[in-house]
């Protein structure tokens, strides 16, 4: 090997490799652009399908921002069938908790799910999670479960309305009606507060939301 | 060395995780269950396979002085490709669970280690066998570690509960401390076994991977 370093050769070979790599990446990025967008859309729809009645529009594209709450409009054959409200609570134990709740046209809360959280594993995450436990005996017997897995904390909100005031939306420790998960009162409180925000925001803007979307 | 030997050495004798102790970051971080371990292992295997082939092909073209930047470009390109493909086609939950550790495969020691120690000195076919062996060894180790942690956390394996009465998760094993504890236990058992075997044969024990055949970091300073 020559003792003298040939700088131009080094520069050219490195640039050449970087150029080829860049071209290749550009091509791959181009090819995967559509599937990635579809996967993201699908992911958004999965969450919305869990909280909304059957719809045939794209609620992710029909949103309305009211204060801190984003409302998604679900339609079937062009008629509004329900709303989903999404809000972020900063009252979680470690960071933000994003809550998505289905709201019927009269303001009744249906299903509640937590779409994003960074709570304590094993405590806060139990409040937020809806995962189905697959067991070996169910697998052997061939039992298949469908539908949304239950969660005792999140299912408490089903059927509640904002009209009854804020008091019932607090956890029992604060004088409210909600059960909190032992060891995760703060997370339970954050979720309750977020669902109340959604319900209250819907109640206050109900006429406007219904009128604008019909 | 025959091609078969190049392939099998990565599985047990020079297992990247349990023997060479390379790539500890994803090993400890994402192995909270068997599925995540498998996903991470396969992603690394793909990157390793691609980069080993390309680096072996360009090994005589690239000037020695700029070889490390060139290897990094090749590796980073494959990592980006794997990342994009996973975003497009892998289950969303798996992609989100692996998160930042997919882009971080770029700095995984196994990938650059095999490029520098093997692919830059051997032909394409041998490099391919080496990458497959090392990648599968890494995957195997991650699945074993992930599976053990998942079982000790909740009594399940591949997200199917095997012990049904187990209702409260043992979170220590699911979190980072559990990864350290369990990896330590595994390494202890493996070293104990190797030392015992060496003693029986009447030899002194040198851990593999600590000799010059698998490492050529000393060459880095030379032209």
């Amino acid at each position: 090997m020559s003792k003298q370093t040939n700088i131009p050769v080094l520069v050219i070979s490195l640039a050449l490799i970087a150029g080829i790599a860049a071209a290749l990446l550009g091509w791959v990025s181009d090819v995967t652009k559509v599937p990635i967008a579809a996967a993201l859309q699908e992911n958004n729809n999965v969450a919305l399908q869990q909280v909304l009645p059957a719809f045939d529009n794209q609620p992710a594209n029909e949103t309305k921002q009211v204060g801190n709450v984003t409302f998604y409009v679900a339609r079937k054959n062009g008629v509004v069938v329900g709303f989903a409200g999404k809000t972020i609570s900063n009252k979680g134990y470690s960071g933000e908790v994003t809550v998505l709740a289905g709201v019927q046209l009269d303001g009744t809360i249906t299903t509640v799910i937590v779409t994003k959280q960074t709570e304590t594993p094993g405590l806060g995450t139990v409040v937020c999670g809806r995962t189905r436990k697959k067991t070996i005996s169910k697998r052997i017997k061939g039992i298949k479960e469908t539908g949304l897995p239950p969660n005792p904390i999140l299912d408490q909100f089903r059927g509640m309305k904002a009209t009854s005031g804020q008091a019932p939306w607090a956890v029992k420790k604060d004088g409210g009606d909600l059960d909190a998960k032992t060891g995760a009162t703060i997370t339970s409180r954050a979720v309750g507060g977020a669902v109340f925000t959604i319900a209250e925001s819907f109640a206050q803007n109900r006429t406007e939301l219904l009128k604008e979307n019909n | 060395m025959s091609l078969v030997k190049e392939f099998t050495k990565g599985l047990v004798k020079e297992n990247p995780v349990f023997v060479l102790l390379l790539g500890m970051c994803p090993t400890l971080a994402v192995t909270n269950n068997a599925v995540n371990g498998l996903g991470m292992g396969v992603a690394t295997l793909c990157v390793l396979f691609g980069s080993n082939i390309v680096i072996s092909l360009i090994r005589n073209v690239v000037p020695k002085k700029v070889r490390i930047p060139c290897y990094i470009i090749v590796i980073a390109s494959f990592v980006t490709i794997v990342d994009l493909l996973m975003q497009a086609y892998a289950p969303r939950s798996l992609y989100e669970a692996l998160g930042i550790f997919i882009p971080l495969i770029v700095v995984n020691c196994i990938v650059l280690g095999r490029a520098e120690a093997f692919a830059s000195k051997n032909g394409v076919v041998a490099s391919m066998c080496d990458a497959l062996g090392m990648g599968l060894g890494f995957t195997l180790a991650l699945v074993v570690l992930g599976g053990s942690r998942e079982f000790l956390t909740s009594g399940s394996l591949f997200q199917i509960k095997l012990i049904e009465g187990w209702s409260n998760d043992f979170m220590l094993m699911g979190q980072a401390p559990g990864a350290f504890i369990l990896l330590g236990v595994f390494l202890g058992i493996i070293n104990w076994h190797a030392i015992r075997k060496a003693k029986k044969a009447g030899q002194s024990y040198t851990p593999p991977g600590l000799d010059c055949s698998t490492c050529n970091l000393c060459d880095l300073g030379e032209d």
Side-chain angles (χ1 to χ4, degrees):
Chain A
M1 180 153 281
S2 67
K3 289 274 173 254
Q4 251 185 344
T5 316
N6 198 344
I7 300 278
V9 171
L10 300 186
V11 172
I12 289 168
S13 53
L14 192 54
L16 207 65
I17 286 183
I20 295 170
L24 183 71
L25 285 182
W27 176 71
V28 174
S29 159
D30 210 41
V31 168
T32 52
K33 202 180 261 168
V34 176
I36 289 175
L40 274 176
Q41 175 96 50
E42 170 86 22
N43 193 46
N44 274 333
N45 273 350
V46 165
L48 288 168
Q49 273 161 5
Q50 288 176 344
V51 300
L52 284 170
F55 56 84
D56 57 8
N57 65 331
Q58 288 287 352
N61 300 333
E62 280 192 62
T63 59
K64 173 119 181 81
Q65 187 77 31
V66 184
N68 299 325
V69 185
T70 314
F71 282 104
Y72 298 86
V73 187
R75 295 167 190 279
K76 185 144 199 187
N77 303 322
V79 183
V80 178
V81 288
F83 291 87
K86 184 162 98 176
T87 191
I88 298 170
S89 167
N90 54 12
K91 298 216 168 70
Y93 191 74
S94 69
E96 296 176 336
V97 180
T98 307
V99 173
L100 184 71
V103 189
Q104 283 175 359
L105 298 185
D106 65 350
T108 312
I109 296 289
T110 55
T111 314
V112 175
I113 60 172
V114 176
T115 53
K116 217 174 189 180
Q117 48 81 19
T118 48
E119 299 301 287
T120 317
L123 290 172
T125 52
V126 176
V127 174
C128 302
R130 282 185 186 271
T131 43
R132 173 152 353 262
K133 290 250 169 8
K134 291 178 204 157
T135 62
I136 193 83
S137 68
K138 280 181 199 158
R139 198 38 82 88
I140 291 167
K141 287 176 198 155
I143 300 173
K144 274 208 179 132
E145 288 168 303
T146 48
L148 198 65
N151 177 317
I153 304 288
L154 296 180
D155 288 340
Q156 295 179 94
F157 300 105
R158 197 180 292 275
M160 286 178 79
K161 271 186 176 185
T163 44
S164 39
Q166 188 160 12
W169 298 79
V171 294
K172 278 184 180 151
K173 210 175 190 172
D174 302 339
D177 286 350
L178 296 180
D179 285 324
K181 155 99 183 152
T182 312
T185 313
I186 292 176
T187 310
S188 310
R189 201 180 276 155
V191 173
V195 183
F196 177 68
T197 309
I198 294 169
E200 194 188 29
S201 171
F202 184 84
Q204 281 166 3
N205 301 283
R206 180 170 172 268
T207 26
E208 202 181 318
L209 279 167
L210 283 173
K211 203 194 292 169
E212 265 178 39
N213 293 297
N214 257 329
Chain B
M1 239 199 252
S2 72
L3 291 179
V4 179
K5 216 172 163 192
E6 299 293 4
F7 173 72
T8 50
K9 72 172 191 291
L11 294 179
V12 181
K13 208 174 134 245
E14 288 182 29
N15 187 294
V17 172
F18 291 139
V19 181
L20 300 182
L21 297 187
L22 291 176
M24 288 295 110
C25 165
T27 302
L28 294 166
V30 302
T31 53
N32 49 358
N33 65 47
V35 176
N36 288 356
L38 185 65
M40 189 69 214
V42 172
T44 311
L45 170 68
C46 295
V47 172
L48 194 56
F49 189 64
S51 67
N52 251 20
I53 291 176
V54 172
I55 285 164
S56 162
L57 283 171
I58 63 170
R59 70 185 192 279
N60 296 326
V61 189
V62 174
K64 219 177 172 190
K65 267 200 167 164
V66 290
R67 69 185 191 284
I68 299 289
C70 289
Y71 296 169
I72 292 289
I73 291 173
V74 171
I75 294 166
S77 308
F78 276 107
V79 171
T80 313
I81 291 172
V82 167
D83 187 41
L84 287 171
L85 289 177
M86 281 191 72
Q87 273 186 57
Y89 302 110
R92 198 78 203 158
S93 55
L94 178 69
Y95 180 73
E96 271 166 15
L98 299 182
I100 185 68
F101 295 100
I102 293 292
L104 280 180
I105 298 175
V106 178
V107 288
N108 191 324
C109 296
I110 305 169
V111 185
L112 186 62
R114 291 331 285 175
E116 179 61 4
F118 197 91
S120 64
K121 296 171 182 164
N122 291 281
V124 179
V125 182
S127 299
M128 237 192 268
C129 294
D130 178 71
L132 278 181
M134 284 289 164
L136 282 176
F138 186 65
T139 311
L140 187 77
L142 258 58
V143 172
V144 168
L145 202 58
S148 327
R149 282 178 66 192
E150 192 183 351
F151 187 76
L152 291 173
T153 306
S154 59
S156 24
L157 212 51
F158 285 97
Q159 277 156 24
I160 295 173
K161 217 165 190 81
L162 301 179
I163 301 176
E164 297 195 5
W166 195 320
S167 54
N168 277 333
D169 289 355
F170 179 38
M171 289 316 297
L172 173 71
M173 279 301 160
Q175 296 299 302
F180 279 99
I181 293 168
L182 213 61
L183 183 67
V185 169
F186 277 128
L187 292 179
I189 292 171
I190 288 164
N191 280 340
W192 171 78
H193 177 75
I195 291 169
R196 215 173 68 122
K197 221 167 93 179
K199 260 190 191 160
K200 265 189 185 164
Q203 294 159 344
S204 70
Y205 172 68
T206 6
L210 293 182
D211 55 27
C212 289
S213 72
T214 51
C215 162
N216 58 353
L217 284 175
C218 323
D219 299 348
L220 281 178
E222 293 171 16
D223 262 0

